[in-house]
Amino acid sequence: MLEKREFYINGAWVAPLDGKDFDVIDPSTEEVCAVISLGGKADTDAAVAAASAALPGFMYSDPAERLALVKRILEVYTARADDMAKAISMEMGAPIDMALSSQVSSGTWHIENFIRDFDKIEFIAPLGDHAPEDRIIKEAVGVCALITPWNWPMNQVTLKVIPALLAGCTMVLKPSEIAPLSSVVWAEILHEAGVPAGVFNMVNGDGPGVGTQLSGHPDVDMVSFTGSSRAGILISKNAAETLKKVHLELGGKGANIIFADADEKAVVRGARHCFNNTGQSCNAPTRMLVERSIYDKAVEIAAETAEKTRVATAHDSGSHIGPVVSEAQFDKIQGLIQKGIDEGARLVAGGLGRPEGLNRGYFVRPTVFADVNNQMTIAREEIFGPVLSIIPFEGEEEALAIANDTPYGLTNYVQSQDGAKRNRMARKLRSGMVEMNGKSRGRGAPFGGMKASGIGREGGVWGVEDFLEVKAVAGWSNDA
């Protein structure tokens, strides 16, 4: 069992001022794997004070120096990849091979993309030839509260910490208390890379405690949060009291629209994508919309894919999915599976209970429901588990109507060999991202959603600019 109770404040590991013990549970075993402290107001205030004190020096530092700092972070992060994978696997249940190849590498991907795109940002630029003494200045928002989730820890930490550093912000990170161990490793990485004291701080805590304290803190200029829409609403209300900038990356209920002319691997690809990370991804394609003429075959293929999806402990090597993150998450998923049965959806794979041979751990059977309609609970609520709902449609317009009939708008998917049809669908789908025919978004593409899926964009140039304020200056001296 690991035991790490300190917080990282002002460039050093410090004992909590106002903390209480919290057990971190290994979801593969249901056993305590670490003990941390959840901070209190004194800890939050100390971290914010450190960030505030460091801000004047860091926000006006040379952008080239900040870029060099991020490059050093990448070097240390790469060297600590195995340590990071072990922490992620133990705290949230990602299979160890997947933790290294996908979870850790997502952080590498984002850091590299920010480095590559940084020269596209002009911190001081002319307004235009018509106004030779006008300048547009982009400068750091200020002290930022970064609140990250448990499902893709380093994906979200790097999407927030790295652009904030490049922008010249100082920050306090509050990782999920369910999965805090990877952020302990992350803080060690930043310390080794030489991040100046007070620029990056980390305090463990829960949402009602440290999360609420940070989002309402008068000395915090911006809060960037990734998590549930419910929590995003609470954070927005709390942040409104101090009129701080708010960035939200929230839930999703993505539609994967499979037309009759889709490629032969479309259904398998969609089901596997849904089950990836044990279904614990906000952009998972959990609603599979299938054109009626191929519907029965698609249901059969999806059910076969679920039955072939191996479930095993996160500590085993190999290609499989692990447990869901916690007992609460397991119970929620079981309740929603039961709700699908009760509301008349046809269960064609998986179902209630653990997979055969797994009597301990928060393991969920990969589950497929057919004959779902878009008003059923399993089609409306974000399940965050390996549960796929299949809905039939008759044509393009009906597919669009079903796909857009959701409070969410994060990622939708389209499968068709008709390029004109794909383009029409991409234009009309109400989501921040659309991926078609299995093609992922390219390097530096923005990540974020519409409607209840959030406010703002992360990644690439957009991710850095989210941490910048724009200042218009008239009377700039061209001789200075």
Side-chain angles (χ1 to χ4, degrees):
M1 183 179 75
L2 297 179
E3 192 159 344
K4 186 76 172 183
R5 301 186 180 191
E6 296 87 354
F7 301 151
Y8 188 77
I9 298 176
N10 203 27
W13 292 101
V14 299
L17 299 170
D18 189 22
K20 58 182 179 181
D21 284 353
F22 180 84
D23 291 340
V24 180
I25 305 298
D26 180 339
S28 291
T29 65
E30 301 184 42
E31 296 176 356
V32 176
C33 63
V35 178
I36 64 167
S37 283
L38 302 183
K41 187 175 185 302
D43 302 296
T44 303
D45 288 345
V48 172
S52 297
L55 180 63
F58 193 66
M59 74 181 297
Y60 298 116
S61 61
D62 185 343
E65 293 179 358
R66 301 199 294 271
L67 179 62
L69 173 62
V70 169
K71 289 180 178 179
R72 292 198 300 274
I73 291 171
L74 177 60
E75 291 176 2
V76 183
Y77 183 82
T78 302
R80 295 289 303 273
D82 287 342
D83 296 335
M84 185 65 77
K86 291 174 184 175
I88 292 173
S89 183
M90 182 163 55
E91 69 188 1
M92 60 76 58
I96 187 63
D97 291 352
M98 181 265 189
L100 184 61
S101 66
S102 297
Q103 289 273 2
V104 175
S105 68
S106 68
T108 308
W109 169 269
H110 293 309
I111 300 171
E112 290 174 345
N113 291 340
F114 285 125
I115 291 171
R116 190 200 62 168
D117 288 341
F118 189 58
D119 64 358
K120 299 176 183 177
I121 298 171
E122 292 186 274
F123 286 90
I124 301 177
L127 176 63
D129 293 341
H130 66 290
E133 295 183 342
D134 280 41
R135 292 294 182 272
I136 301 300
I137 297 177
K138 295 177 181 179
E139 65 182 31
V141 169
V143 175
C144 299
L146 312 177
I147 303 175
T148 56
W150 48 260
N151 60 321
W152 286 89
M154 282 303 106
N155 182 75
Q156 291 309 134
V157 167
T158 56
L159 276 173
K160 297 183 191 300
V161 172
I162 296 301
L165 287 172
L166 288 171
C169 294
T170 59
M171 67 211 71
V172 180
L173 170 67
K174 189 207 84 66
S176 169
E177 70 276 17
I178 296 175
L181 306 181
S182 54
S183 287
V184 171
V185 177
W186 175 254
E188 293 172 353
I189 289 168
L190 266 61
H191 183 81
E192 183 177 343
V195 174
V199 170
F200 170 83
N201 307 274
M202 186 193 76
V203 177
N204 285 313
D206 57 17
V210 174
T212 298
Q213 293 155 16
L214 284 171
S215 61
H217 202 290
D219 295 329
V220 169
D221 301 293
M222 174 179 171
V223 56
S224 179
F225 168 77
T226 298
S228 71
S229 299
R230 178 195 59 79
I233 291 169
L234 294 174
I235 284 172
S236 297
K237 289 179 177 178
N238 195 39
E241 292 292 329
T242 48
L243 294 174
K244 56 174 53 67
K245 185 176 181 179
V246 176
H247 173 103
L248 301 173
E249 198 277 281
L250 307 176
K253 194 68 182 176
N256 183 11
I257 303 170
I258 300 180
F259 288 97
D261 65 347
D263 67 90
E264 61 181 10
K265 297 180 181 179
V267 175
V268 172
R269 184 171 64 239
R272 287 178 176 171
H273 192 173
C274 176
F275 301 146
N276 184 47
N277 203 38
T278 320
Q280 299 172 122
S281 300
C282 53
N283 62 345
T286 54
R287 291 184 298 153
M288 182 178 283
L289 280 52
V290 181
E291 196 159 12
R292 179 70 72 175
S293 62
I294 62 167
Y295 178 76
D296 290 341
K297 183 62 175 176
V299 169
E300 180 183 332
I301 293 171
E304 290 175 355
T305 303
E307 296 293 351
K308 291 178 181 178
T309 300
R310 180 170 171 257
V311 184
T313 173
H315 305 299
D316 285 354
S317 294
S319 179
H320 59 275
I321 64 173
V324 296
V325 73
S326 66
E327 182 179 14
Q329 190 67 18
F330 177 85
D331 291 344
K332 174 191 172 185
I333 294 165
Q334 296 301 307
L336 285 166
I337 291 173
Q338 183 64 58
K339 194 78 169 178
I341 295 169
D342 294 344
E343 291 184 357
R346 178 163 56 100
L347 183 66
V348 297
L352 295 167
R354 293 176 172 85
E356 186 177 350
L358 294 170
N359 298 318
R360 187 168 178 82
Y362 308 125
F363 298 99
V364 175
R365 300 171 67 190
T367 296
V368 178
F369 283 104
D371 303 347
V372 176
N373 68 64
N374 210 45
Q375 302 313 309
M376 291 180 178
T377 303
I378 56 174
R380 306 301 295 180
E381 294 188 14
E382 187 178 36
I383 298 173
F384 236 56
V387 181
L388 177 65
S389 299
I390 307 182
I391 303 172
F393 70 87
E394 295 293 348
E396 193 173 326
E397 291 306 314
E398 185 181 15
L400 273 170
I402 295 171
N404 287 335
D405 179 22
T406 174
Y408 297 105
L410 190 58
T411 312
N412 285 306
Y413 303 82
V414 180
Q415 320 299 326
S416 170
Q417 299 304 302
D418 184 335
K421 183 193 293 182
R422 292 201 309 272
N423 291 353
R424 288 194 301 271
M425 297 295 289
R427 290 294 304 274
K428 294 179 180 179
L429 285 165
R430 293 285 295 157
S431 57
M433 297 168 286
V434 180
E435 298 182 7
M436 301 190 285
N437 286 359
K439 185 172 179 59
S440 300
R441 293 167 298 110
R443 283 186 173 272
F447 187 101
M450 302 177 181
K451 302 190 288 185
S453 289
I455 300 169
R457 296 293 181 269
E458 293 183 315
V461 172
W462 292 270
V464 179
E465 290 186 339
D466 207 44
F467 287 94
L468 294 170
E469 294 280 19
V470 176
K471 179 188 293 182
V473 178
W476 185 268
S477 173
N478 294 309
D479 299 323

Coordinates of all heavy atoms in Angstrom, one line a residue, residues 288-290 292 295-300 340-341 343-348 368-376 378-379 388-393:
M288 N -25.7 3.9 -30.5 CA -25.4 3.4 -31.9 C -26.7 3.5 -32.7 O -27.7 2.7 -32.4 CB -24.9 2.0 -31.9 CG -24.5 1.5 -33.3 SD -23.8 -0.2 -33.3 CE -22.1 0.2 -32.7
L289 N -26.8 4.4 -33.6 CA -28.0 4.6 -34.4 C -27.7 3.9 -35.7 O -26.7 4.1 -36.4 CB -28.2 6.1 -34.7 CG -28.9 6.9 -33.7 CD1 -28.3 6.8 -32.3 CD2 -29.0 8.4 -34.1
V290 N -28.6 2.9 -36.1 CA -28.3 2.0 -37.2 C -29.5 2.1 -38.2 O -30.7 2.0 -37.8 CB -28.1 0.6 -36.8 CG1 -27.8 -0.3 -38.0 CG2 -27.0 0.5 -35.8
R292 N -32.2 1.1 -40.7 CA -33.1 -0.1 -40.5 C -32.7 -1.3 -41.4 O -32.8 -2.4 -41.0 CB -34.6 0.4 -40.8 CG -35.6 -0.8 -40.7 CD -35.8 -1.2 -39.3 NE -36.5 -0.2 -38.5 CZ -36.9 -0.4 -37.2 NH1 -36.6 -1.5 -36.6 NH2 -37.6 0.6 -36.6
Y295 N -30.1 -3.2 -39.6 CA -30.2 -3.1 -38.2 C -30.0 -4.5 -37.5 O -29.2 -4.6 -36.6 CB -31.6 -2.5 -37.8 CG -31.9 -2.5 -36.3 CD1 -31.3 -1.5 -35.5 CD2 -32.7 -3.4 -35.7 CE1 -31.5 -1.4 -34.2 CE2 -33.0 -3.4 -34.4 CZ -32.4 -2.4 -33.6 OH -32.6 -2.3 -32.2
D296 N -30.7 -5.5 -38.0 CA -30.7 -6.8 -37.3 C -29.2 -7.4 -37.4 O -28.8 -7.9 -36.3 CB -31.6 -7.8 -38.0 CG -33.1 -7.5 -37.8 OD1 -33.3 -6.7 -36.8 OD2 -33.9 -7.9 -38.6
K297 N -28.5 -7.2 -38.5 CA -27.2 -7.7 -38.6 C -26.3 -6.9 -37.6 O -25.4 -7.5 -37.0 CB -26.7 -7.5 -40.0 CG -25.3 -8.1 -40.2 CD -25.2 -9.6 -39.9 CE -23.8 -10.1 -40.3 NZ -23.7 -11.6 -39.9
A298 N -26.5 -5.6 -37.5 CA -25.7 -4.8 -36.6 C -25.8 -5.2 -35.2 O -24.9 -5.2 -34.4 CB -26.0 -3.3 -36.8
V299 N -27.1 -5.5 -34.8 CA -27.3 -5.9 -33.4 C -26.6 -7.2 -33.1 O -25.9 -7.4 -32.1 CB -28.8 -6.1 -33.2 CG1 -29.1 -6.8 -31.9 CG2 -29.6 -4.8 -33.2
E300 N -26.6 -8.1 -34.1 CA -25.9 -9.4 -33.9 C -24.4 -9.2 -33.8 O -23.7 -9.8 -32.9 CB -26.2 -10.3 -35.1 CG -25.5 -11.6 -35.1 CD -25.8 -12.4 -36.4 OE1 -26.8 -12.2 -37.0 OE2 -24.9 -13.2 -36.8
G340 N -32.9 -0.1 -18.0 CA -33.1 -0.4 -19.4 C -34.0 -1.7 -19.6 O -34.8 -1.7 -20.5
I341 N -33.7 -2.7 -18.7 CA -34.6 -3.9 -18.8 C -36.0 -3.5 -18.4 O -37.0 -3.9 -19.1 CB -34.1 -4.9 -17.8 CG1 -32.7 -5.4 -18.3 CG2 -35.0 -6.1 -17.7 CD1 -31.9 -6.3 -17.2
E343 N -37.6 -0.7 -18.7 CA -38.3 0.2 -19.7 C -38.5 -0.5 -21.0 O -38.9 0.2 -22.0 CB -37.5 1.5 -19.8 CG -37.5 2.4 -18.6 CD -36.8 3.7 -18.7 OE1 -36.2 3.9 -19.8 OE2 -36.8 4.5 -17.8
G344 N -38.1 -1.7 -21.2 CA -38.4 -2.5 -22.4 C -37.4 -2.6 -23.4 O -37.6 -3.1 -24.5
A345 N -36.2 -2.2 -23.1 CA -35.1 -2.4 -24.1 C -34.7 -3.9 -24.1 O -34.9 -4.6 -23.1 CB -33.8 -1.6 -23.7
R346 N -34.3 -4.4 -25.3 CA -34.0 -5.8 -25.4 C -32.5 -6.1 -25.1 O -31.6 -5.6 -25.9 CB -34.3 -6.3 -26.9 CG -34.0 -7.7 -27.2 CD -34.7 -8.2 -28.4 NE -34.5 -7.4 -29.6 CZ -33.6 -7.8 -30.6 NH1 -32.9 -8.9 -30.5 NH2 -33.4 -7.0 -31.6
L347 N -32.3 -6.8 -24.1 CA -30.9 -7.1 -23.7 C -30.3 -8.2 -24.6 O -30.9 -9.4 -24.6 CB -30.9 -7.5 -22.2 CG -29.5 -7.8 -21.6 CD1 -28.6 -6.6 -21.5 CD2 -29.7 -8.4 -20.2
V348 N -29.3 -7.9 -25.3 CA -28.7 -8.9 -26.3 C -27.3 -9.4 -25.9 O -26.8 -10.4 -26.4 CB -28.7 -8.4 -27.7 CG1 -30.2 -8.2 -28.2 CG2 -27.9 -7.2 -27.9
V368 N -25.1 -4.9 -24.2 CA -25.7 -4.3 -25.4 C -27.2 -4.4 -25.3 O -27.7 -5.5 -25.0 CB -25.2 -5.0 -26.6 CG1 -25.9 -4.3 -27.9 CG2 -23.7 -4.8 -26.8
F369 N -27.8 -3.2 -25.4 CA -29.3 -3.2 -25.5 C -29.7 -2.9 -27.0 O -29.1 -2.0 -27.6 CB -29.9 -2.1 -24.6 CG -29.9 -2.5 -23.2 CD1 -29.0 -1.9 -22.3 CD2 -30.9 -3.3 -22.7 CE1 -29.1 -2.2 -20.9 CE2 -31.0 -3.7 -21.3 CZ -30.1 -3.1 -20.5
A370 N -30.7 -3.6 -27.5 CA -31.3 -3.3 -28.8 C -32.7 -2.8 -28.6 O -33.2 -2.8 -27.5 CB -31.3 -4.6 -29.7
D371 N -33.3 -2.3 -29.7 CA -34.7 -1.8 -29.7 C -34.8 -0.7 -28.7 O -35.9 -0.6 -28.0 CB -35.7 -2.9 -29.4 CG -35.5 -4.1 -30.4 OD1 -34.9 -3.9 -31.5 OD2 -36.1 -5.2 -30.2
V372 N -33.8 0.1 -28.5 CA -33.9 1.3 -27.6 C -34.6 2.4 -28.4 O -34.4 2.6 -29.6 CB -32.5 1.7 -27.2 CG1 -32.5 2.9 -26.3 CG2 -31.8 0.5 -26.4
N373 N -35.4 3.2 -27.7 CA -35.8 4.5 -28.2 C -35.2 5.6 -27.5 O -34.7 5.4 -26.3 CB -37.4 4.6 -28.3 CG -38.0 4.7 -26.9 OD1 -37.7 5.6 -26.2 ND2 -38.8 3.7 -26.5
N374 N -35.2 6.8 -28.1 CA -34.4 7.9 -27.5 C -35.0 8.5 -26.3 O -34.4 9.4 -25.7 CB -34.2 8.9 -28.6 CG -32.9 9.7 -28.4 OD1 -31.8 9.0 -28.2 ND2 -32.9 11.0 -28.5
Q375 N -36.1 8.0 -25.8 CA -36.7 8.6 -24.6 C -36.4 7.7 -23.4 O -36.7 8.0 -22.3 CB -38.2 8.7 -24.8 CG -38.6 9.7 -25.9 CD -37.8 11.0 -25.9 OE1 -37.7 11.7 -24.9 NE2 -37.2 11.3 -27.0
M376 N -35.8 6.5 -23.6 CA -35.5 5.6 -22.5 C -34.3 6.2 -21.7 O -33.5 7.0 -22.2 CB -35.1 4.2 -23.0 CG -36.2 3.4 -23.6 SD -35.6 1.8 -24.2 CE -37.1 1.1 -24.8
I378 N -31.7 4.9 -20.5 CA -30.3 4.5 -21.0 C -29.9 5.3 -22.2 O -28.7 5.3 -22.5 CB -30.2 3.0 -21.2 CG1 -31.3 2.5 -22.2 CG2 -30.3 2.2 -19.9 CD1 -31.1 1.1 -22.6
A379 N -30.8 5.9 -22.9 CA -30.5 6.7 -24.1 C -30.3 8.2 -23.7 O -29.8 9.0 -24.5 CB -31.5 6.6 -25.2
L388 N -23.9 -0.2 -24.3 CA -24.2 0.3 -25.6 C -25.7 0.2 -25.9 O -26.3 -0.9 -25.6 CB -23.4 -0.5 -26.7 CG -23.7 -0.1 -28.1 CD1 -23.2 1.3 -28.4 CD2 -23.0 -1.1 -29.1
S389 N -26.3 1.2 -26.3 CA -27.7 1.3 -26.7 C -27.9 1.4 -28.2 O -27.3 2.3 -28.8 CB -28.4 2.4 -26.0 OG -28.4 2.3 -24.6
I390 N -28.6 0.5 -28.8 CA -28.8 0.5 -30.3 C -30.2 0.9 -30.7 O -31.2 0.4 -30.2 CB -28.5 -0.9 -30.9 CG1 -27.1 -1.4 -30.5 CG2 -28.5 -0.8 -32.4 CD1 -26.7 -2.7 -31.0
I391 N -30.2 2.0 -31.5 CA -31.5 2.6 -31.9 C -31.6 2.5 -33.4 O -30.7 3.0 -34.1 CB -31.5 4.1 -31.4 CG1 -31.3 4.1 -29.9 CG2 -32.8 4.7 -31.8 CD1 -31.1 5.6 -29.4
P392 N -32.7 2.1 -34.0 CA -32.9 2.0 -35.4 C -33.4 3.4 -36.0 O -34.0 4.2 -35.2 CB -34.0 1.0 -35.6 CG -34.8 1.0 -34.4 CD -33.9 1.4 -33.3
F393 N -33.1 3.7 -37.2 CA -33.6 4.9 -37.9 C -33.9 4.5 -39.4 O -33.3 3.6 -39.9 CB -32.7 6.1 -37.8 CG -31.4 5.9 -38.5 CD1 -31.3 6.3 -39.9 CD2 -30.2 5.4 -37.9 CE1 -30.1 6.2 -40.6 CE2 -29.0 5.3 -38.6 CZ -28.9 5.7 -39.9

